Amino acid sequence: MVAEATALDADSKARRGFLLALGAYLLWGLLPFYMKAVAHLPLAEVIAHRIVWSVPIAAAVLVWAGRTADFKAAIRSPRTIAMAALTAALISVNWGIYVWAIAVDRTVETALGYYINPLVSVVVGALLLGERLDRLQIAAVVLATVAVTVLTIEGGKLPWVSLALAFSFAAYGFFRKTLPIGPSQGFLLEVLLLSMPALGYIVYLIATGQDHIISSNSTDTALLIGCGPVTSIPLLLFAFGAKLLRLSTIGIMQYIAPTMVFLIAVLIFDEPFGTAQAIAFALIWAALAMYSWSMLVTARRAAATTRGRAA
């Protein structure tokens, strides 16, 4: 009976985690529509409002979760503050490139960047953490490299938007692991640190009449305030969902958002998608299939080993 109750509880947590993570990925997948809506506004102002309006939401969630004691302990640690400042800077770079790319009709490149990201993370793990790559993972990285080479030859330059998004988010994930606090506390700490310069910039814009939060129309005001929820809600949904799911499940689900972004870019935004892009995406999808299969096999072996020890 105890074993059955434990299994039911685990299934319930997995379902709840799946729904939370799915909500996060669907919101991320739809985010280009919102970024297009604010594309007429200055990039720096949009980023500033993404930060400032995320603070009350992140704080409310932390209070609701009853994790304020952890947060208070974190802000007393200079090392934690320094690491959070680094991760905050990295995610700011990622946000800035993403918002700009969609505004200038380079959404396809953002999708490619987030497809490449897990493969970049594998390489980072191998180089910096000494993690061993199996044959499928090595083959996946090689295919991704070929895809980037194809785009470089076709365009005459590196697909820097895709690479910058992939590497900045991989670096963010790598350093984010060093923060000795949970994801919700870490997110609040990051946006709090960023909110100081962001709020100062917003005040400067208002004082000089260059803002769009007060001096513009009600639509712009609503869009800028809405930057907070569209930024923080999916991040927090993902943070809580990821805790309840296996890493292999998250690994497969992470392709939902870039797939949605890719389809939106090509079918709705009508961005160009030529032969070189088709070849590159085909190579990336093949690489991700190899990577995902490798991850699933590893997870199954680990589960089998755990069951064997328990028996």
Side-chain angles (χ1 to χ4, degrees):
M1 292 293 290
V2 174
E4 289 179 5
T6 302
L8 287 172
D9 184 54
D11 288 342
S12 175
K13 287 181 178 179
R15 281 194 297 272
R16 191 162 69 250
F18 177 81
L19 291 174
L20 288 168
L22 180 62
Y25 284 119
L26 291 176
L27 288 174
W28 277 327
L30 296 171
L31 190 56
F33 288 121
Y34 201 93
M35 293 300 101
K36 277 290 186 185
V38 299
H40 65 288
L41 300 171
L43 172 62
E45 188 173 11
V46 171
I47 298 299
H49 282 280
R50 285 190 79 172
I51 294 164
V52 168
W53 296 107
S54 291
V55 173
I57 296 173
V61 169
L62 198 68
V63 172
W64 171 78
R67 304 305 299 269
T68 54
D70 295 344
F71 181 76
K72 290 176 183 177
I75 60 177
R76 297 191 193 101
S77 167
R79 182 183 180 277
T80 300
I81 295 292
M83 291 306 302
L86 174 60
T87 57
L90 288 168
I91 200 63
S92 296
V93 170
N94 188 271
W95 286 352
I97 296 171
Y98 182 78
V99 175
W100 172 83
I102 292 177
V104 297
D105 300 324
R106 299 175 73 167
T107 311
V108 169
E109 294 178 60
T110 70
L112 180 63
Y114 288 114
Y115 274 131
I116 294 173
N117 171 249
L119 301 175
V120 171
S121 296
V122 167
V123 174
V124 169
L127 295 178
L128 301 182
L129 299 177
E131 296 176 356
R132 296 185 63 183
L133 303 184
D134 60 29
R135 291 178 180 178
L136 277 178
Q137 290 173 329
I138 293 171
V141 171
V142 170
L143 282 181
T145 304
V146 173
V148 171
T149 303
V150 168
L151 291 176
T152 301
I153 293 171
E154 189 271 342
K157 58 183 177 181
L158 281 171
W160 72 267
V161 169
S162 302
L163 293 175
L165 286 172
F167 278 91
S168 61
F169 200 74
Y172 171 74
F174 174 78
F175 287 108
R176 185 64 179 77
K177 289 181 180 180
T178 65
L179 278 179
I181 50 177
S184 55
Q185 300 98 309
F187 178 62
L188 176 57
L189 183 55
E190 287 168 349
V191 291
L192 268 178
L193 291 171
L194 292 170
S195 68
M196 290 179 263
L199 187 58
Y201 179 65
I202 292 171
V203 170
Y204 165 77
L205 291 178
I206 294 173
T208 56
Q210 302 177 62
D211 70 291
H212 293 83
I213 187 74
I214 293 176
S215 304
S216 189
N217 55 61
S218 58
T219 300
D220 286 346
T221 300
L223 285 170
L224 286 172
I225 293 174
C227 284
V230 301
T231 298
S232 56
I233 289 174
L235 278 169
L236 292 167
L237 285 175
F238 175 78
F240 286 106
K243 285 184 176 181
L244 304 173
L245 290 175
R246 293 178 178 178
L247 183 61
S248 57
T249 305
I250 289 293
I252 300 300
M253 292 182 74
Q254 68 184 324
Y255 307 134
I256 294 173
T259 299
M260 291 176 65
V261 171
F262 167 72
L263 293 174
I264 289 169
V266 176
L267 301 179
I268 299 177
F269 294 168
D270 198 29
E271 292 190 10
F273 189 74
T275 303
Q277 285 79 10
I279 292 172
F281 269 81
L283 290 168
I284 290 297
W285 288 329
L288 291 175
M290 292 179 179
Y291 165 75
S292 300
W293 180 254
S294 171
M295 187 169 52
L296 286 172
V297 169
T298 301
R300 287 173 181 172
R301 286 174 181 168
T305 301
T306 301
R307 285 195 298 268
R309 288 173 180 171

